[in-house]
Amino acid sequence: MTNRSITGKTVLIAGGGKNLGGLIARDFAAHGAKAIVVHFNSAATQAAAAETVAAVKAAGADAIAIQADLTSANAMEDLFAKATAAFGRPDIAINTVGKVLKKPLTETTEAEFDEMSAVNSKTAFFFLKEAGKAVNDNGAVCTLVTSLLGAFTPFYATYAGTKAPVEHFTRAASKEFGARGISVTAIGPGPMDTSFFYGQETPEAQAYHKSAAALSPFSKTGLTDIEDIVPWVRFLVTEGWWMTGQTILVNGGYTTK
Ligand SMILES: NC(=O)c1ccc[n+]([C@@H]2O[C@H](COP(=O)([O-])OP(=O)(O)OC[C@H]3O[C@@H](n4cnc5c(N)ncnc54)[C@H](OP(=O)(O)O)[C@@H]3O)[C@@H](O)[C@H]2O)c1
């Protein structure tokens, strides 16, 4: 019978150095993953990525950090090639890469649109492409999107709009990779208590988001805690493999679709 547990699995995490990705790496190592490739992008994240690698190793798994700006198809191909050279083909590939912009549509520049599109849509597409070639049979792929895919709200046109195509990429990839037993999903968290969220929001908007979910009174800050997303990621790429092709919003009752 196919082993759908995380034990002994090789994992590639794009954006695995810090915040949600860093916690996924630690959690997977604690649950018995064999090796984890921790990708990071910015020089500012290098130290956090090194800490994540050290934490993964301390938990008993092998790990390396790989730096790359993943907004080109070549860079993505190179990341998967380096990951495969280090630990063999991945069983599980997770993409947490993203960039947020909160800005009125009429003030958004062409350069901003192009960058949002590159980081959120293009990167997700080529991650799925390379995952479809590299991931072992009976493996799993998961992309992080946003609960704003279920929202009717201003100012996030480029963020939600450039994450939205991932929902369809996920459907298509799940049909194409299903023949090899590979499960493909996307998870859209609610606003999470990380630096990613705080950079874009005024104190008033933060206060709103901290009270907007049905379960807000029961989380640490009222926002979605990364600790409450990690179990969903782990489940979908292991025993929850039968869920495929779908984008699910995990947010304590913040938005639905
Ligand atoms: N925090 C929230 O409120 C929230 C809510 C819903 C969904 N999400 C989504 O959840 C995911 C993780 O977010 P997070 O809160 O954990 O924040 P985060 O740590 O800032 O995650 C974003 C990741 O994207 C990477 N990245 C950005 N530009 C890149 C590029 N050009 N090439 C390669 N990697 C690049 C960053 O790497 P570097 O730091 O090394 O540049 C970082 O690892 C994101 O996809 C985000 O859209 C976040």
Side-chain angles (χ1 to χ4, degrees):
M1 198 177 138
T2 303
N3 169 19
R4 298 278 179 185
S5 83
I6 203 152
T7 309
K9 296 288 168 66
T10 297
V11 184
L12 166 61
I13 308 173
K18 69 184 205 301
N19 293 336
L20 179 62
L23 190 61
I24 294 170
R26 286 166 172 76
D27 177 274
F28 280 25
H31 282 83
K34 185 173 94 184
I36 302 183
V37 175
V38 173
H39 155 268
F40 70 100
N41 168 51
S42 308
T45 310
Q46 186 163 10
E51 275 175 35
T52 300
V53 166
V56 167
K57 286 183 173 172
D62 210 344
I64 54 163
I66 299 177
Q67 188 281 329
D69 176 341
L70 295 175
T71 51
S72 78
N74 281 344
M76 192 63 80
E77 206 175 343
D78 192 48
L79 172 66
F80 275 82
K82 285 179 177 159
T84 302
F87 298 133
R89 291 156 73 98
D91 300 298
I92 296 169
I94 295 166
N95 175 20
T96 79
V97 172
K99 185 176 174 68
V100 65
L101 177 67
K102 184 175 186 182
K103 200 168 186 184
L105 218 146
T106 52
E107 294 171 19
T108 302
T109 67
E110 182 177 5
E112 285 168 336
F113 178 89
D114 286 345
E115 191 185 5
M116 293 298 287
S117 186
V119 176
N120 292 320
S121 299
K122 185 179 178 186
T123 295
F125 181 88
F126 285 99
F127 185 88
L128 286 171
K129 176 180 175 180
E130 295 307 322
K133 295 193 292 179
V135 165
N136 280 317
D137 288 0
N138 303 312
V141 188
C142 185
T143 311
L144 271 295
V145 291
T146 169
S147 274
L148 291 173
L149 298 189
F152 182 22
T153 186
F155 309 135
Y156 297 103
T158 57
Y159 179 49
T162 58
K163 287 282 194 182
V166 178
E167 183 159 16
H168 197 80
F169 300 160
T170 299
R171 287 193 189 104
S174 71
K175 284 284 191 188
E176 295 180 28
F177 309 165
R180 295 202 292 116
I182 297 170
S183 173
V184 187
T185 50
I187 291 182
M192 293 191 294
D193 183 27
T194 72
S195 49
F196 185 97
F197 167 78
Y198 290 100
Q200 295 289 310
E201 304 291 345
T202 62
E204 294 74 26
Q206 289 177 25
Y208 164 75
H209 288 297
K210 286 179 176 181
S211 63
L215 298 178
S216 280
F218 303 98
S219 79
K220 277 191 221 152
T221 60
L223 299 171
T224 291
D225 291 323
I226 56 176
E227 292 82 356
D228 290 323
I229 298 301
V230 171
W232 283 89
V233 177
R234 183 181 355 103
F235 180 64
L236 288 179
V237 298
T238 56
E239 285 85 353
W241 68 285
W242 192 244
M243 167 83 84
T244 191
Q246 305 214 35
T247 297
I248 57 169
L249 307 186
V250 181
N251 57 34
Y254 169 78
T255 58
T256 64
K257 69 178 181 63

PDB file of all heavy atoms in Angstrom, residues 132-155:
ATOM      1  N   GLY A 132       5.556  19.046 -11.452  1.00  0.00           N
ATOM      2  CA  GLY A 132       4.940  17.982 -12.269  1.00  0.00           C
ATOM      3  C   GLY A 132       5.978  17.103 -12.928  1.00  0.00           C
ATOM      4  O   GLY A 132       5.730  15.922 -13.196  1.00  0.00           O
ATOM      5  N   LYS A 133       7.151  17.652 -13.197  1.00  0.00           N
ATOM      6  CA  LYS A 133       8.234  16.859 -13.799  1.00  0.00           C
ATOM      7  C   LYS A 133       9.069  16.146 -12.737  1.00  0.00           C
ATOM      8  O   LYS A 133       9.540  15.031 -12.959  1.00  0.00           O
ATOM      9  CB  LYS A 133       9.151  17.774 -14.641  1.00  0.00           C
ATOM     10  CG  LYS A 133       8.439  18.374 -15.856  1.00  0.00           C
ATOM     11  CD  LYS A 133       9.411  19.013 -16.832  1.00  0.00           C
ATOM     12  CE  LYS A 133      10.071  20.241 -16.293  1.00  0.00           C
ATOM     13  NZ  LYS A 133      11.037  20.867 -17.198  1.00  0.00           N
ATOM     14  N   ALA A 134       9.262  16.809 -11.590  1.00  0.00           N
ATOM     15  CA  ALA A 134      10.245  16.303 -10.619  1.00  0.00           C
ATOM     16  C   ALA A 134       9.659  15.439  -9.510  1.00  0.00           C
ATOM     17  O   ALA A 134      10.324  14.510  -9.039  1.00  0.00           O
ATOM     18  CB  ALA A 134      10.983  17.478  -9.977  1.00  0.00           C
ATOM     19  N   VAL A 135       8.433  15.747  -9.076  1.00  0.00           N
ATOM     20  CA  VAL A 135       7.906  15.056  -7.888  1.00  0.00           C
ATOM     21  C   VAL A 135       7.693  13.569  -8.187  1.00  0.00           C
ATOM     22  O   VAL A 135       7.224  13.194  -9.270  1.00  0.00           O
ATOM     23  CB  VAL A 135       6.597  15.748  -7.419  1.00  0.00           C
ATOM     24  CG1 VAL A 135       5.817  14.882  -6.437  1.00  0.00           C
ATOM     25  CG2 VAL A 135       6.917  17.091  -6.783  1.00  0.00           C
ATOM     26  N   ASN A 136       8.048  12.729  -7.216  1.00  0.00           N
ATOM     27  CA  ASN A 136       7.888  11.282  -7.355  1.00  0.00           C
ATOM     28  C   ASN A 136       6.419  10.884  -7.508  1.00  0.00           C
ATOM     29  O   ASN A 136       5.515  11.588  -7.034  1.00  0.00           O
ATOM     30  CB  ASN A 136       8.448  10.586  -6.108  1.00  0.00           C
ATOM     31  CG  ASN A 136       9.957  10.479  -6.159  1.00  0.00           C
ATOM     32  OD1 ASN A 136      10.532  10.149  -7.196  1.00  0.00           O
ATOM     33  ND2 ASN A 136      10.608  10.756  -5.035  1.00  0.00           N
ATOM     34  N   ASP A 137       6.182   9.743  -8.125  1.00  0.00           N
ATOM     35  CA  ASP A 137       4.836   9.177  -8.194  1.00  0.00           C
ATOM     36  C   ASP A 137       4.258   9.104  -6.782  1.00  0.00           C
ATOM     37  O   ASP A 137       4.988   8.844  -5.814  1.00  0.00           O
ATOM     38  CB  ASP A 137       4.876   7.762  -8.778  1.00  0.00           C
ATOM     39  CG  ASP A 137       5.184   7.770 -10.273  1.00  0.00           C
ATOM     40  OD1 ASP A 137       5.373   8.851 -10.854  1.00  0.00           O
ATOM     41  OD2 ASP A 137       5.247   6.662 -10.850  1.00  0.00           O
ATOM     42  N   ASN A 138       2.959   9.310  -6.658  1.00  0.00           N
ATOM     43  CA  ASN A 138       2.252   9.286  -5.364  1.00  0.00           C
ATOM     44  C   ASN A 138       2.702  10.404  -4.429  1.00  0.00           C
ATOM     45  O   ASN A 138       2.531  10.301  -3.214  1.00  0.00           O
ATOM     46  CB  ASN A 138       2.394   7.927  -4.675  1.00  0.00           C
ATOM     47  CG  ASN A 138       1.887   6.807  -5.556  1.00  0.00           C
ATOM     48  OD1 ASN A 138       0.799   6.914  -6.112  1.00  0.00           O
ATOM     49  ND2 ASN A 138       2.670   5.765  -5.723  1.00  0.00           N
ATOM     50  N   GLY A 139       3.262  11.466  -5.001  1.00  0.00           N
ATOM     51  CA  GLY A 139       3.677  12.612  -4.208  1.00  0.00           C
ATOM     52  C   GLY A 139       2.543  13.624  -4.067  1.00  0.00           C
ATOM     53  O   GLY A 139       1.367  13.316  -4.327  1.00  0.00           O
ATOM     54  N   ALA A 140       2.902  14.838  -3.651  1.00  0.00           N
ATOM     55  CA  ALA A 140       1.881  15.867  -3.437  1.00  0.00           C
ATOM     56  C   ALA A 140       2.478  17.261  -3.604  1.00  0.00           C
ATOM     57  O   ALA A 140       3.662  17.480  -3.329  1.00  0.00           O
ATOM     58  CB  ALA A 140       1.281  15.732  -2.045  1.00  0.00           C
ATOM     59  N   VAL A 141       1.624  18.169  -4.069  1.00  0.00           N
ATOM     60  CA  VAL A 141       2.048  19.553  -4.303  1.00  0.00           C
ATOM     61  C   VAL A 141       0.992  20.478  -3.698  1.00  0.00           C
ATOM     62  O   VAL A 141      -0.203  20.240  -3.851  1.00  0.00           O
ATOM     63  CB  VAL A 141       2.165  19.846  -5.824  1.00  0.00           C
ATOM     64  CG1 VAL A 141       2.784  21.216  -6.055  1.00  0.00           C
ATOM     65  CG2 VAL A 141       2.952  18.764  -6.543  1.00  0.00           C
ATOM     66  N   CYS A 142       1.432  21.529  -3.028  1.00  0.00           N
ATOM     67  CA  CYS A 142       0.486  22.482  -2.437  1.00  0.00           C
ATOM     68  C   CYS A 142       1.019  23.901  -2.601  1.00  0.00           C
ATOM     69  O   CYS A 142       2.200  24.158  -2.368  1.00  0.00           O
ATOM     70  CB  CYS A 142       0.280  22.167  -0.954  1.00  0.00           C
ATOM     71  SG  CYS A 142      -0.968  23.197  -0.152  1.00  0.00           S
ATOM     72  N   THR A 143       0.132  24.816  -3.006  1.00  0.00           N
ATOM     73  CA  THR A 143       0.495  26.224  -3.183  1.00  0.00           C
ATOM     74  C   THR A 143      -0.285  27.070  -2.191  1.00  0.00           C
ATOM     75  O   THR A 143      -1.472  26.832  -1.965  1.00  0.00           O
ATOM     76  CB  THR A 143       0.126  26.702  -4.611  1.00  0.00           C
ATOM     77  OG1 THR A 143       0.619  25.776  -5.565  1.00  0.00           O
ATOM     78  CG2 THR A 143       0.693  28.087  -4.894  1.00  0.00           C
ATOM     79  N   LEU A 144       0.379  28.082  -1.636  1.00  0.00           N
ATOM     80  CA  LEU A 144      -0.301  29.009  -0.724  1.00  0.00           C
ATOM     81  C   LEU A 144      -0.885  30.172  -1.519  1.00  0.00           C
ATOM     82  O   LEU A 144      -0.149  30.850  -2.257  1.00  0.00           O
ATOM     83  CB  LEU A 144       0.684  29.519   0.322  1.00  0.00           C
ATOM     84  CG  LEU A 144       0.790  28.656   1.588  1.00  0.00           C
ATOM     85  CD1 LEU A 144      -0.536  28.667   2.366  1.00  0.00           C
ATOM     86  CD2 LEU A 144       1.187  27.225   1.292  1.00  0.00           C
ATOM     87  N   VAL A 145      -2.187  30.393  -1.369  1.00  0.00           N
ATOM     88  CA  VAL A 145      -2.844  31.552  -1.986  1.00  0.00           C
ATOM     89  C   VAL A 145      -3.377  32.444  -0.862  1.00  0.00           C
ATOM     90  O   VAL A 145      -2.661  32.710   0.092  1.00  0.00           O
ATOM     91  CB  VAL A 145      -3.894  31.108  -3.039  1.00  0.00           C
ATOM     92  CG1 VAL A 145      -3.196  30.492  -4.235  1.00  0.00           C
ATOM     93  CG2 VAL A 145      -4.929  30.156  -2.468  1.00  0.00           C
ATOM     94  N   THR A 146      -4.611  32.913  -0.956  1.00  0.00           N
ATOM     95  CA  THR A 146      -5.124  33.844   0.057  1.00  0.00           C
ATOM     96  C   THR A 146      -6.636  33.704   0.214  1.00  0.00           C
ATOM     97  O   THR A 146      -7.346  33.456  -0.769  1.00  0.00           O
ATOM     98  CB  THR A 146      -4.795  35.305  -0.314  1.00  0.00           C
ATOM     99  OG1 THR A 146      -5.527  36.177   0.561  1.00  0.00           O
ATOM    100  CG2 THR A 146      -5.154  35.654  -1.747  1.00  0.00           C
ATOM    101  N   SER A 147      -7.118  33.929   1.412  1.00  0.00           N
ATOM    102  CA  SER A 147      -8.570  33.923   1.655  1.00  0.00           C
ATOM    103  C   SER A 147      -9.268  35.095   0.978  1.00  0.00           C
ATOM    104  O   SER A 147     -10.496  35.130   0.913  1.00  0.00           O
ATOM    105  CB  SER A 147      -8.856  33.972   3.158  1.00  0.00           C
ATOM    106  OG  SER A 147      -8.840  32.691   3.717  1.00  0.00           O
ATOM    107  N   LEU A 148      -8.486  36.058   0.478  1.00  0.00           N
ATOM    108  CA  LEU A 148      -9.106  37.158  -0.273  1.00  0.00           C
ATOM    109  C   LEU A 148      -9.741  36.653  -1.563  1.00  0.00           C
ATOM    110  O   LEU A 148     -10.526  37.371  -2.181  1.00  0.00           O
ATOM    111  CB  LEU A 148      -8.068  38.250  -0.574  1.00  0.00           C
ATOM    112  CG  LEU A 148      -7.596  39.039   0.654  1.00  0.00           C
ATOM    113  CD1 LEU A 148      -6.449  39.966   0.288  1.00  0.00           C
ATOM    114  CD2 LEU A 148      -8.750  39.845   1.261  1.00  0.00           C
ATOM    115  N   LEU A 149      -9.439  35.402  -1.968  1.00  0.00           N
ATOM    116  CA  LEU A 149     -10.131  34.827  -3.139  1.00  0.00           C
ATOM    117  C   LEU A 149     -11.629  34.674  -2.849  1.00  0.00           C
ATOM    118  O   LEU A 149     -12.409  34.520  -3.785  1.00  0.00           O
ATOM    119  CB  LEU A 149      -9.520  33.471  -3.528  1.00  0.00           C
ATOM    120  CG  LEU A 149      -8.045  33.490  -3.962  1.00  0.00           C
ATOM    121  CD1 LEU A 149      -7.638  32.148  -4.531  1.00  0.00           C
ATOM    122  CD2 LEU A 149      -7.767  34.592  -4.974  1.00  0.00           C
ATOM    123  N   GLY A 150     -12.006  34.721  -1.569  1.00  0.00           N
ATOM    124  CA  GLY A 150     -13.418  34.647  -1.211  1.00  0.00           C
ATOM    125  C   GLY A 150     -13.980  35.987  -0.748  1.00  0.00           C
ATOM    126  O   GLY A 150     -15.083  36.036  -0.220  1.00  0.00           O
ATOM    127  N   ALA A 151     -13.216  37.077  -0.953  1.00  0.00           N
ATOM    128  CA  ALA A 151     -13.643  38.381  -0.428  1.00  0.00           C
ATOM    129  C   ALA A 151     -14.193  39.288  -1.522  1.00  0.00           C
ATOM    130  O   ALA A 151     -13.868  39.136  -2.693  1.00  0.00           O
ATOM    131  CB  ALA A 151     -12.462  39.067   0.251  1.00  0.00           C
ATOM    132  N   PHE A 152     -15.024  40.247  -1.125  1.00  0.00           N
ATOM    133  CA  PHE A 152     -15.572  41.283  -2.013  1.00  0.00           C
ATOM    134  C   PHE A 152     -15.119  42.595  -1.399  1.00  0.00           C
ATOM    135  O   PHE A 152     -15.766  43.158  -0.530  1.00  0.00           O
ATOM    136  CB  PHE A 152     -17.104  41.129  -2.018  1.00  0.00           C
ATOM    137  CG  PHE A 152     -17.837  42.087  -2.912  1.00  0.00           C
ATOM    138  CD1 PHE A 152     -17.219  42.718  -3.984  1.00  0.00           C
ATOM    139  CD2 PHE A 152     -19.182  42.313  -2.700  1.00  0.00           C
ATOM    140  CE1 PHE A 152     -17.927  43.581  -4.810  1.00  0.00           C
ATOM    141  CE2 PHE A 152     -19.903  43.172  -3.511  1.00  0.00           C
ATOM    142  CZ  PHE A 152     -19.276  43.806  -4.569  1.00  0.00           C
ATOM    143  N   THR A 153     -13.905  43.022  -1.785  1.00  0.00           N
ATOM    144  CA  THR A 153     -13.248  44.093  -1.038  1.00  0.00           C
ATOM    145  C   THR A 153     -12.383  44.941  -1.966  1.00  0.00           C
ATOM    146  O   THR A 153     -11.893  44.432  -2.977  1.00  0.00           O
ATOM    147  CB  THR A 153     -12.374  43.454   0.083  1.00  0.00           C
ATOM    148  OG1 THR A 153     -11.826  44.484   0.904  1.00  0.00           O
ATOM    149  CG2 THR A 153     -11.239  42.622  -0.465  1.00  0.00           C
ATOM    150  N   PRO A 154     -12.184  46.232  -1.654  1.00  0.00           N
ATOM    151  CA  PRO A 154     -11.311  47.055  -2.492  1.00  0.00           C
ATOM    152  C   PRO A 154      -9.837  46.876  -2.152  1.00  0.00           C
ATOM    153  O   PRO A 154      -9.495  46.223  -1.157  1.00  0.00           O
ATOM    154  CB  PRO A 154     -11.751  48.477  -2.132  1.00  0.00           C
ATOM    155  CG  PRO A 154     -12.190  48.372  -0.705  1.00  0.00           C
ATOM    156  CD  PRO A 154     -12.789  47.005  -0.555  1.00  0.00           C
ATOM    157  N   PHE A 155      -8.979  47.465  -2.979  1.00  0.00           N
ATOM    158  CA  PHE A 155      -7.536  47.694  -2.703  1.00  0.00           C
ATOM    159  C   PHE A 155      -6.606  46.493  -2.855  1.00  0.00           C
ATOM    160  O   PHE A 155      -5.391  46.665  -2.812  1.00  0.00           O
ATOM    161  CB  PHE A 155      -7.329  48.321  -1.311  1.00  0.00           C
ATOM    162  CG  PHE A 155      -8.174  49.543  -1.071  1.00  0.00           C
ATOM    163  CD1 PHE A 155      -8.856  49.719   0.127  1.00  0.00           C
ATOM    164  CD2 PHE A 155      -8.293  50.519  -2.063  1.00  0.00           C
ATOM    165  CE1 PHE A 155      -9.638  50.849   0.339  1.00  0.00           C
ATOM    166  CE2 PHE A 155      -9.081  51.650  -1.856  1.00  0.00           C
ATOM    167  CZ  PHE A 155      -9.752  51.808  -0.651  1.00  0.00           C
TER     168      PHE A 155
END
